[in-house]
Amino acid sequence: MNNKVEKLIKFGAELEISISEAQGEKLIQYMEEILEINKHINLTRITEEDEFIKRHLLDSLTLLKYIKNPSASILDVGTGGGFPGIPLAIMMEGATITLLDSTKKKLIVVENIAKALNISNIKILHGRAEELGQDRKYRESYDIVTSRAVANLTLLSEYCLPLTKIGGKFLPMKGREYKSEITEAEKPIAVLGGEIKAMEECLILQSEWVHVIIVIEKIKKTPRILPRTNGKIKSEKFPLLLK
Ligand code: SAH
């Protein structure tokens, strides 16, 4: 076995994430393709392989624990270079992962690599989350919506909760500053039809770096006027008084 694959499987086991050899090979191939293209198109600032394995591959896979249904429809909002969506697709063959981004160039790169690696359970979706959230075709239609490094929790909730099915989950991945973000986002989340169920800090392999997964359940419909247009989001405060 290639020693990068071996390392990934070993680190995974330390985090209680069980990765098969075939999955490990695909994850490493994906990393290698991204790093190659990253020389020309900026997809990530993480270019050192060990760090890539931890911060992109394993970090994405910490979500697995929260996704119980192996055939879930999953939406990754602001996927960028494919994180966390592509590692989830590699690990969950029975699930369908939709990768959404407002930058077409990035989606084309991710789609091409996925094709080359035979990752067939993904769909590419180009657009802005707040616009698709008002489109009947996408609104309240995903079992799981996740997102990493896209916006603060209040804004991210307005992007993601309208797209989450009732009974489904929104799983934002956050950094150290999550507590103050939650304080600010608590009421907007309730207005959007969500309820915070849990938050779990994960320490990736004794590193300094803490990340948190917040588990938000969609318990009721999002009011029609949400999400607002990008213009309104920028110029107005979140409409808290709404019933
Ligand atoms: N999730 C990836 C990329 C983060 S960069 C990672 O963790 O590595 C943020 C990405 O979100 C960018 O690619 C940007 O184009 C996209 N984005 C920002 N706002 C968006 C919106 N409103 N709708 C869809 N995509 C958005």
Side-chain angles (χ1 to χ4, degrees), residues 205-221:
L205 304 162
Q206 286 83 45
S207 63
E208 290 284 280
W209 164 65
V210 178
H211 96 176
V212 180
I213 294 173
I214 306 170
V215 180
I216 301 172
E217 202 173 301
K218 177 82 177 268
I219 57 164
K220 57 177 203 278
K221 271 192 168 178

Side-chain angles (χ1 to χ4, degrees), residues 73-240:
S73 62
I74 302 173
L75 175 70
D76 179 10
V77 172
T79 194
F83 302 105
I86 289 283
L88 291 179
I90 292 172
M91 297 296 288
M92 299 183 68
E93 272 186 36
T96 306
I97 325 292
T98 302
L99 307 170
L100 165 64
D101 208 284
S102 52
T103 306
K104 191 147 197 191
K105 192 169 76 174
K106 293 186 188 178
L107 287 176
I108 290 171
V109 170
V110 172
E111 188 177 28
N112 286 338
I113 304 176
K115 262 194 199 138
L117 299 183
N118 271 322
I119 302 167
S120 53
N121 56 336
I122 59 152
K123 288 182 185 166
I124 296 297
L125 184 57
H126 177 227
R128 294 197 59 90
E130 66 276 29
E131 288 171 14
L132 299 179
Q134 284 295 357
D135 184 334
R136 221 184 286 166
K137 196 168 161 207
Y138 304 104
R139 189 176 175 93
E140 296 181 330
S141 67
Y142 296 93
D143 298 323
I144 302 281
V145 179
T146 187
S147 186
R148 192 183 78 161
V150 172
N152 70 60
L153 188 59
T154 303
L155 179 52
L156 198 62
S157 298
E158 187 164 355
Y159 287 165
C160 296
L161 275 167
L163 292 159
T164 312
K165 249 187 212 169
I166 295 176
K169 281 191 195 120
F170 164 41
L171 301 173
M173 306 178 82
K174 282 284 157 196
R176 269 181 201 283
E177 68 306 327
Y178 72 100
K179 282 190 183 133
S180 59
E181 286 195 43
I182 286 179
T183 308
E184 191 204 305
E186 226 165 356
K187 284 198 180 117
I189 287 170
V191 171
L192 285 154
E195 190 173 272
I196 299 176
K197 292 283 184 189
M199 48 199 106
E200 196 165 324
E201 287 191 24
C202 320
L203 204 59
I204 298 284
L205 304 162
Q206 286 83 45
S207 63
E208 290 284 280
W209 164 65
V210 178
H211 96 176
V212 180
I213 294 173
I214 306 170
V215 180
I216 301 172
E217 202 173 301
K218 177 82 177 268
I219 57 164
K220 57 177 203 278
K221 271 192 168 178
T222 299
R224 250 337 321 159
I225 66 147
L226 296 168
R228 297 164 294 161
T229 60
N230 188 34
K232 280 207 172 153
I233 289 176
K234 283 197 175 137
S235 62
E236 296 170 4
K237 279 197 173 163
F238 189 90
L240 277 184

